[in-house]
Amino acid sequence: MNNEVLLKNLRCVPDFPRKGINFRDVTTLYKNAECMKIMLDELYELYKDKSITKIVGVESRGFVMASALAAKLGCGIVLARKPGKLPSTVIKESFSKEYGVDTVEMHIDSLDQNDVVLIHDDLLATGGTAYATYKLVKFFHPKQIYMNFIIEITDEGLHGRDLFEGLVDITTLMKL
């Protein structure tokens, strides 16, 4: 989709969080009302006819649009969080990122087999976080799973989408 307004307002921070990484900072999109409207409208058009019952927002930038879209679609939101942030019994999945190892957790009662789930995060790069979240969601055996990202990074030799070949439908608002 690569909307020009979104591209114009997206900040790139070189060498963050370490040298050689060009961090795409979606917070510049979130603070701009026009960008928020564009993103929400595009996400709504993508998913309005998919019968989504729950959106899994991935820590922490994924919470923003997941919450807004859930309100517009009339569905629930579930949080996929870093360790120690959820107060009840959790399931967890560890993964490698381009600059370390991390874990994602969800409450054990987050989803069930009747749910149609959209996993949403701000960025797809190596796919580690997304794949770990996907595996957590699969644990619940929902009817259907979709995935969406605001940005997909492909220009730096990153191929996170490849992890999901034949597994899940993925949409992105921007490919860089």
Side-chain angles (χ1 to χ4, degrees), residues 35-55:
C35 290
M36 284 292 291
K37 181 176 181 346
I38 290 167
M39 290 186 295
L40 184 55
D41 288 348
E42 288 186 8
L43 288 170
Y44 181 75
E45 287 302 314
L46 287 168
Y47 294 103
K48 67 182 180 184
D49 298 324
K50 302 287 188 194
S51 302
I52 304 294
T53 59
K54 302 275 182 3
I55 300 176

PDB file of all heavy atoms in Angstrom, residues 35-55:
ATOM      1  N   CYS A  35      -2.207  10.365  10.076  1.00  0.00           N
ATOM      2  CA  CYS A  35      -1.608   9.035   9.904  1.00  0.00           C
ATOM      3  C   CYS A  35      -2.414   7.971  10.645  1.00  0.00           C
ATOM      4  O   CYS A  35      -2.641   6.883  10.118  1.00  0.00           O
ATOM      5  CB  CYS A  35      -0.163   9.031  10.388  1.00  0.00           C
ATOM      6  SG  CYS A  35       0.969   9.973   9.351  1.00  0.00           S
ATOM      7  N   MET A  36      -2.849   8.298  11.854  1.00  0.00           N
ATOM      8  CA  MET A  36      -3.664   7.346  12.612  1.00  0.00           C
ATOM      9  C   MET A  36      -4.945   7.003  11.851  1.00  0.00           C
ATOM     10  O   MET A  36      -5.325   5.837  11.755  1.00  0.00           O
ATOM     11  CB  MET A  36      -4.006   7.920  13.991  1.00  0.00           C
ATOM     12  CG  MET A  36      -2.853   7.885  14.979  1.00  0.00           C
ATOM     13  SD  MET A  36      -2.394   6.206  15.470  1.00  0.00           S
ATOM     14  CE  MET A  36      -3.816   5.720  16.433  1.00  0.00           C
ATOM     15  N   LYS A  37      -5.578   8.005  11.296  1.00  0.00           N
ATOM     16  CA  LYS A  37      -6.813   7.784  10.536  1.00  0.00           C
ATOM     17  C   LYS A  37      -6.546   6.929   9.304  1.00  0.00           C
ATOM     18  O   LYS A  37      -7.288   5.987   9.015  1.00  0.00           O
ATOM     19  CB  LYS A  37      -7.454   9.104  10.138  1.00  0.00           C
ATOM     20  CG  LYS A  37      -8.764   8.913   9.372  1.00  0.00           C
ATOM     21  CD  LYS A  37      -9.445  10.204   9.052  1.00  0.00           C
ATOM     22  CE  LYS A  37     -10.751  10.072   8.316  1.00  0.00           C
ATOM     23  NZ  LYS A  37     -11.106   8.830   7.705  1.00  0.00           N
ATOM     24  N   ILE A  38      -5.484   7.236   8.582  1.00  0.00           N
ATOM     25  CA  ILE A  38      -5.134   6.460   7.380  1.00  0.00           C
ATOM     26  C   ILE A  38      -4.889   5.006   7.753  1.00  0.00           C
ATOM     27  O   ILE A  38      -5.430   4.085   7.118  1.00  0.00           O
ATOM     28  CB  ILE A  38      -3.896   7.055   6.678  1.00  0.00           C
ATOM     29  CG1 ILE A  38      -4.249   8.400   6.034  1.00  0.00           C
ATOM     30  CG2 ILE A  38      -3.329   6.076   5.642  1.00  0.00           C
ATOM     31  CD1 ILE A  38      -3.032   9.200   5.583  1.00  0.00           C
ATOM     32  N   MET A  39      -4.074   4.763   8.793  1.00  0.00           N
ATOM     33  CA  MET A  39      -3.765   3.392   9.188  1.00  0.00           C
ATOM     34  C   MET A  39      -5.016   2.654   9.643  1.00  0.00           C
ATOM     35  O   MET A  39      -5.247   1.508   9.232  1.00  0.00           O
ATOM     36  CB  MET A  39      -2.703   3.368  10.283  1.00  0.00           C
ATOM     37  CG  MET A  39      -1.333   3.786   9.796  1.00  0.00           C
ATOM     38  SD  MET A  39      -0.029   3.600  11.041  1.00  0.00           S
ATOM     39  CE  MET A  39      -0.535   4.777  12.288  1.00  0.00           C
ATOM     40  N   LEU A  40      -5.836   3.294  10.473  1.00  0.00           N
ATOM     41  CA  LEU A  40      -7.042   2.647  10.965  1.00  0.00           C
ATOM     42  C   LEU A  40      -8.013   2.345   9.828  1.00  0.00           C
ATOM     43  O   LEU A  40      -8.577   1.246   9.754  1.00  0.00           O
ATOM     44  CB  LEU A  40      -7.716   3.502  12.038  1.00  0.00           C
ATOM     45  CG  LEU A  40      -8.940   2.882  12.713  1.00  0.00           C
ATOM     46  CD1 LEU A  40      -8.609   1.523  13.314  1.00  0.00           C
ATOM     47  CD2 LEU A  40      -9.491   3.827  13.759  1.00  0.00           C
ATOM     48  N   ASP A  41      -8.192   3.283   8.913  1.00  0.00           N
ATOM     49  CA  ASP A  41      -9.084   3.058   7.775  1.00  0.00           C
ATOM     50  C   ASP A  41      -8.582   1.907   6.902  1.00  0.00           C
ATOM     51  O   ASP A  41      -9.371   1.055   6.458  1.00  0.00           O
ATOM     52  CB  ASP A  41      -9.230   4.326   6.937  1.00  0.00           C
ATOM     53  CG  ASP A  41     -10.059   5.406   7.627  1.00  0.00           C
ATOM     54  OD1 ASP A  41     -10.712   5.115   8.654  1.00  0.00           O
ATOM     55  OD2 ASP A  41     -10.035   6.553   7.132  1.00  0.00           O
ATOM     56  N   GLU A  42      -7.261   1.862   6.638  1.00  0.00           N
ATOM     57  CA  GLU A  42      -6.713   0.784   5.810  1.00  0.00           C
ATOM     58  C   GLU A  42      -6.851  -0.568   6.500  1.00  0.00           C
ATOM     59  O   GLU A  42      -7.220  -1.565   5.870  1.00  0.00           O
ATOM     60  CB  GLU A  42      -5.247   1.068   5.462  1.00  0.00           C
ATOM     61  CG  GLU A  42      -5.093   2.191   4.443  1.00  0.00           C
ATOM     62  CD  GLU A  42      -3.661   2.403   3.970  1.00  0.00           C
ATOM     63  OE1 GLU A  42      -2.765   1.580   4.299  1.00  0.00           O
ATOM     64  OE2 GLU A  42      -3.432   3.396   3.260  1.00  0.00           O
ATOM     65  N   LEU A  43      -6.576  -0.615   7.802  1.00  0.00           N
ATOM     66  CA  LEU A  43      -6.723  -1.871   8.547  1.00  0.00           C
ATOM     67  C   LEU A  43      -8.185  -2.321   8.577  1.00  0.00           C
ATOM     68  O   LEU A  43      -8.475  -3.509   8.399  1.00  0.00           O
ATOM     69  CB  LEU A  43      -6.196  -1.704   9.973  1.00  0.00           C
ATOM     70  CG  LEU A  43      -4.680  -1.602  10.109  1.00  0.00           C
ATOM     71  CD1 LEU A  43      -4.293  -1.192  11.515  1.00  0.00           C
ATOM     72  CD2 LEU A  43      -4.018  -2.911   9.716  1.00  0.00           C
ATOM     73  N   TYR A  44      -9.073  -1.390   8.799  1.00  0.00           N
ATOM     74  CA  TYR A  44     -10.493  -1.733   8.825  1.00  0.00           C
ATOM     75  C   TYR A  44     -10.939  -2.322   7.485  1.00  0.00           C
ATOM     76  O   TYR A  44     -11.632  -3.350   7.453  1.00  0.00           O
ATOM     77  CB  TYR A  44     -11.336  -0.500   9.179  1.00  0.00           C
ATOM     78  CG  TYR A  44     -12.806  -0.808   9.238  1.00  0.00           C
ATOM     79  CD1 TYR A  44     -13.341  -1.509  10.317  1.00  0.00           C
ATOM     80  CD2 TYR A  44     -13.663  -0.418   8.207  1.00  0.00           C
ATOM     81  CE1 TYR A  44     -14.691  -1.817  10.363  1.00  0.00           C
ATOM     82  CE2 TYR A  44     -15.015  -0.723   8.254  1.00  0.00           C
ATOM     83  CZ  TYR A  44     -15.524  -1.420   9.329  1.00  0.00           C
ATOM     84  OH  TYR A  44     -16.857  -1.727   9.382  1.00  0.00           O
ATOM     85  N   GLU A  45     -10.531  -1.717   6.396  1.00  0.00           N
ATOM     86  CA  GLU A  45     -10.899  -2.233   5.065  1.00  0.00           C
ATOM     87  C   GLU A  45     -10.356  -3.641   4.846  1.00  0.00           C
ATOM     88  O   GLU A  45     -11.017  -4.480   4.234  1.00  0.00           O
ATOM     89  CB  GLU A  45     -10.431  -1.290   3.957  1.00  0.00           C
ATOM     90  CG  GLU A  45     -11.238  -0.017   3.868  1.00  0.00           C
ATOM     91  CD  GLU A  45     -12.731  -0.279   3.644  1.00  0.00           C
ATOM     92  OE1 GLU A  45     -13.093  -1.109   2.796  1.00  0.00           O
ATOM     93  OE2 GLU A  45     -13.549   0.370   4.336  1.00  0.00           O
ATOM     94  N   LEU A  46      -9.162  -3.923   5.350  1.00  0.00           N
ATOM     95  CA  LEU A  46      -8.566  -5.249   5.192  1.00  0.00           C
ATOM     96  C   LEU A  46      -9.316  -6.327   5.974  1.00  0.00           C
ATOM     97  O   LEU A  46      -9.395  -7.468   5.539  1.00  0.00           O
ATOM     98  CB  LEU A  46      -7.103  -5.235   5.646  1.00  0.00           C
ATOM     99  CG  LEU A  46      -6.100  -4.540   4.737  1.00  0.00           C
ATOM    100  CD1 LEU A  46      -4.773  -4.351   5.449  1.00  0.00           C
ATOM    101  CD2 LEU A  46      -5.914  -5.347   3.454  1.00  0.00           C
ATOM    102  N   TYR A  47      -9.849  -5.967   7.145  1.00  0.00           N
ATOM    103  CA  TYR A  47     -10.359  -6.989   8.068  1.00  0.00           C
ATOM    104  C   TYR A  47     -11.841  -6.891   8.409  1.00  0.00           C
ATOM    105  O   TYR A  47     -12.352  -7.746   9.136  1.00  0.00           O
ATOM    106  CB  TYR A  47      -9.505  -6.988   9.353  1.00  0.00           C
ATOM    107  CG  TYR A  47      -8.114  -7.443   9.032  1.00  0.00           C
ATOM    108  CD1 TYR A  47      -7.069  -6.534   8.919  1.00  0.00           C
ATOM    109  CD2 TYR A  47      -7.849  -8.781   8.759  1.00  0.00           C
ATOM    110  CE1 TYR A  47      -5.793  -6.946   8.567  1.00  0.00           C
ATOM    111  CE2 TYR A  47      -6.585  -9.199   8.407  1.00  0.00           C
ATOM    112  CZ  TYR A  47      -5.561  -8.284   8.313  1.00  0.00           C
ATOM    113  OH  TYR A  47      -4.310  -8.699   7.955  1.00  0.00           O
ATOM    114  N   LYS A  48     -12.570  -5.942   7.853  1.00  0.00           N
ATOM    115  CA  LYS A  48     -13.981  -5.751   8.216  1.00  0.00           C
ATOM    116  C   LYS A  48     -14.852  -6.959   7.883  1.00  0.00           C
ATOM    117  O   LYS A  48     -15.867  -7.179   8.534  1.00  0.00           O
ATOM    118  CB  LYS A  48     -14.546  -4.495   7.561  1.00  0.00           C
ATOM    119  CG  LYS A  48     -14.651  -4.579   6.059  1.00  0.00           C
ATOM    120  CD  LYS A  48     -15.170  -3.296   5.467  1.00  0.00           C
ATOM    121  CE  LYS A  48     -15.253  -3.419   3.952  1.00  0.00           C
ATOM    122  NZ  LYS A  48     -15.666  -2.164   3.345  1.00  0.00           N
ATOM    123  N   ASP A  49     -14.482  -7.757   6.907  1.00  0.00           N
ATOM    124  CA  ASP A  49     -15.283  -8.909   6.493  1.00  0.00           C
ATOM    125  C   ASP A  49     -14.676 -10.250   6.898  1.00  0.00           C
ATOM    126  O   ASP A  49     -15.049 -11.288   6.356  1.00  0.00           O
ATOM    127  CB  ASP A  49     -15.485  -8.875   4.977  1.00  0.00           C
ATOM    128  CG  ASP A  49     -16.243  -7.638   4.521  1.00  0.00           C
ATOM    129  OD1 ASP A  49     -17.156  -7.197   5.249  1.00  0.00           O
ATOM    130  OD2 ASP A  49     -15.902  -7.091   3.449  1.00  0.00           O
ATOM    131  N   LYS A  50     -13.752 -10.256   7.827  1.00  0.00           N
ATOM    132  CA  LYS A  50     -13.052 -11.485   8.220  1.00  0.00           C
ATOM    133  C   LYS A  50     -13.605 -12.126   9.494  1.00  0.00           C
ATOM    134  O   LYS A  50     -13.073 -13.132   9.950  1.00  0.00           O
ATOM    135  CB  LYS A  50     -11.553 -11.212   8.408  1.00  0.00           C
ATOM    136  CG  LYS A  50     -10.861 -10.650   7.200  1.00  0.00           C
ATOM    137  CD  LYS A  50     -10.680 -11.673   6.125  1.00  0.00           C
ATOM    138  CE  LYS A  50      -9.786 -11.096   5.012  1.00  0.00           C
ATOM    139  NZ  LYS A  50      -9.848 -11.891   3.818  1.00  0.00           N
ATOM    140  N   SER A  51     -14.617 -11.546  10.098  1.00  0.00           N
ATOM    141  CA  SER A  51     -15.232 -12.084  11.322  1.00  0.00           C
ATOM    142  C   SER A  51     -14.244 -12.211  12.480  1.00  0.00           C
ATOM    143  O   SER A  51     -14.295 -13.172  13.260  1.00  0.00           O
ATOM    144  CB  SER A  51     -15.893 -13.443  11.050  1.00  0.00           C
ATOM    145  OG  SER A  51     -16.873 -13.319  10.040  1.00  0.00           O
ATOM    146  N   ILE A  52     -13.355 -11.251  12.601  1.00  0.00           N
ATOM    147  CA  ILE A  52     -12.351 -11.249  13.675  1.00  0.00           C
ATOM    148  C   ILE A  52     -13.065 -11.155  15.028  1.00  0.00           C
ATOM    149  O   ILE A  52     -13.931 -10.313  15.225  1.00  0.00           O
ATOM    150  CB  ILE A  52     -11.379 -10.049  13.531  1.00  0.00           C
ATOM    151  CG1 ILE A  52     -10.689 -10.028  12.163  1.00  0.00           C
ATOM    152  CG2 ILE A  52     -10.369 -10.017  14.679  1.00  0.00           C
ATOM    153  CD1 ILE A  52      -9.757 -11.151  11.880  1.00  0.00           C
ATOM    154  N   THR A  53     -12.690 -12.048  15.953  1.00  0.00           N
ATOM    155  CA  THR A  53     -13.251 -12.001  17.310  1.00  0.00           C
ATOM    156  C   THR A  53     -12.248 -11.458  18.321  1.00  0.00           C
ATOM    157  O   THR A  53     -12.643 -10.924  19.354  1.00  0.00           O
ATOM    158  CB  THR A  53     -13.715 -13.388  17.776  1.00  0.00           C
ATOM    159  OG1 THR A  53     -12.600 -14.285  17.759  1.00  0.00           O
ATOM    160  CG2 THR A  53     -14.841 -13.905  16.887  1.00  0.00           C
ATOM    161  N   LYS A  54     -10.943 -11.619  18.043  1.00  0.00           N
ATOM    162  CA  LYS A  54      -9.894 -11.125  18.936  1.00  0.00           C
ATOM    163  C   LYS A  54      -8.716 -10.639  18.101  1.00  0.00           C
ATOM    164  O   LYS A  54      -8.348 -11.253  17.090  1.00  0.00           O
ATOM    165  CB  LYS A  54      -9.371 -12.221  19.867  1.00  0.00           C
ATOM    166  CG  LYS A  54     -10.397 -12.889  20.747  1.00  0.00           C
ATOM    167  CD  LYS A  54     -10.645 -12.149  22.002  1.00  0.00           C
ATOM    168  CE  LYS A  54     -11.625 -12.790  22.952  1.00  0.00           C
ATOM    169  NZ  LYS A  54     -12.217 -14.043  22.676  1.00  0.00           N
ATOM    170  N   ILE A  55      -8.131  -9.535  18.545  1.00  0.00           N
ATOM    171  CA  ILE A  55      -6.870  -9.060  17.976  1.00  0.00           C
ATOM    172  C   ILE A  55      -5.804  -9.232  19.037  1.00  0.00           C
ATOM    173  O   ILE A  55      -5.975  -8.781  20.175  1.00  0.00           O
ATOM    174  CB  ILE A  55      -6.952  -7.594  17.525  1.00  0.00           C
ATOM    175  CG1 ILE A  55      -8.034  -7.417  16.461  1.00  0.00           C
ATOM    176  CG2 ILE A  55      -5.587  -7.122  16.999  1.00  0.00           C
ATOM    177  CD1 ILE A  55      -8.250  -5.982  16.009  1.00  0.00           C
TER     178      ILE A  55
END
